[in-house]
Amino acid sequence: MTPDRRPRLPRWLPGWLGGWLRTLLPQACPGCGAQLGAQVGLCRACRDRLRPRVESHSPLRPRAAPHLVTLGEYRGVRRRAVRALKFGRSRDLAGVLGSALAGGVPATWGIQAVVFVPLHPSRQRQRGFNQAELLAQAIAGALGLPCVNALSRTRATRQQSRQRASGRDHMAGAFAARLSLPGPVLLVDDVLTSGATLSACQAALLEAGVDEVYAAVVAR
């Protein structure tokens, strides 16, 4: 076989070109509308507003106990960033938001793996990606943990934001665990609304033998 004699680009060149192009081509920050410049995803001011906190109250736990990492309420920068990631295909935001969430995960939780809420295959084909998976990959990378595709959807469901609070029990049994994982896991989604989706995923993981499930969402 003839050896490949094509010149290879230096490893640093793509990153340098990306930064140069971001500076050359004006791009608005999804969080506030200011120019991003060489920044990726969000401007510095919006990044500074992403402060992770651990919460003890949510539909995932019958009793108050630290179990949920979030960046705050679903409004302002967080709402605009989630919508830009989910509907505007601004995938660079996953790294920014995921890194911020990773900074709030307590070491005492002993997380062994990061898992994510799956989309139904038909919806993932339509969208082209799963925003929860992108966030989970970023969190796992920051924590030095594996990101595991441990859940599958057994049936399609309507988006939680379009469901009335009294009609969201349709999520029960909508997920199944592909495998069991050792030790506590961190379950990731973009937004916690009624808690029905995360609760159904948590139930599937616990039924499969996972010791304990913690959660991380950008906003609630």
Side-chain angles (χ1 to χ4, degrees), residues 9 12 16 23 30 40 51-52 63 65 95 135-136 144 147 173 176 200 210-211 214:
L9 296 175
W12 54 265
W16 180 85
T23 303
V40 177
R51 299 177 181 177
R63 300 185 184 88
L135 289 167
C147 180
V210 174
D211 293 339
Y214 295 94

Side-chain angles (χ1 to χ4, degrees), residues 193-218:
T193 50
S194 70
T197 298
L198 285 175
S199 293
C201 288
Q202 176 179 257
L205 290 167
L206 293 174
E207 185 177 352
V210 174
D211 293 339
E212 190 162 12
V213 179
Y214 295 94
V217 296
V218 176

Side-chain angles (χ1 to χ4, degrees), residues 29-199:
C29 170
C32 66
Q35 292 301 312
L36 277 177
Q39 292 288 330
V40 177
L42 289 174
C43 69
R44 178 57 57 187
C46 286
R47 287 172 182 244
D48 290 342
R49 296 190 182 100
L50 302 179
R51 299 177 181 177
R53 63 195 192 197
V54 176
E55 300 189 9
S56 299
H57 299 273
S58 88
L60 301 176
R61 289 289 193 279
R63 300 185 184 88
H67 67 279
L68 175 68
V69 179
T70 176
L71 300 180
E73 296 180 6
Y74 185 58
R75 60 190 178 98
V77 171
R78 294 168 296 276
R79 181 179 185 275
R80 290 189 289 269
V82 167
R83 291 186 64 81
L85 169 63
K86 194 170 182 177
F87 304 116
R89 299 180 179 273
S90 299
R91 300 192 192 187
D92 286 342
L93 285 166
V96 177
L97 299 170
S99 295
L101 283 169
V105 178
T108 54
W109 286 0
I111 301 297
Q112 299 298 303
V114 182
V115 301
F116 52 89
V117 174
L119 289 176
H120 190 270
S122 61
R123 186 171 294 171
Q124 180 145 349
R125 283 194 299 269
Q126 180 183 25
R127 185 172 297 168
F129 66 96
N130 178 358
Q131 71 280 354
E133 182 177 5
L134 297 180
L135 289 167
Q137 290 171 348
I139 294 172
L143 296 177
L145 295 171
C147 180
V148 183
N149 185 9
L151 292 165
S152 63
R153 282 205 185 233
T154 58
R155 54 187 170 81
T157 56
R158 293 183 62 190
Q159 293 182 9
Q160 285 297 290
S161 59
R162 298 179 180 177
Q163 296 294 323
R164 294 182 179 178
S166 60
R168 290 177 175 175
D169 57 354
H170 71 295
M171 296 302 299
F175 301 92
R178 301 175 187 269
L179 60 141
S180 180
L181 297 168
V185 302
L186 185 69
L187 175 63
V188 177
D189 202 3
D190 53 353
V191 176
L192 172 66
T193 50
S194 70
T197 298
L198 285 175
S199 293

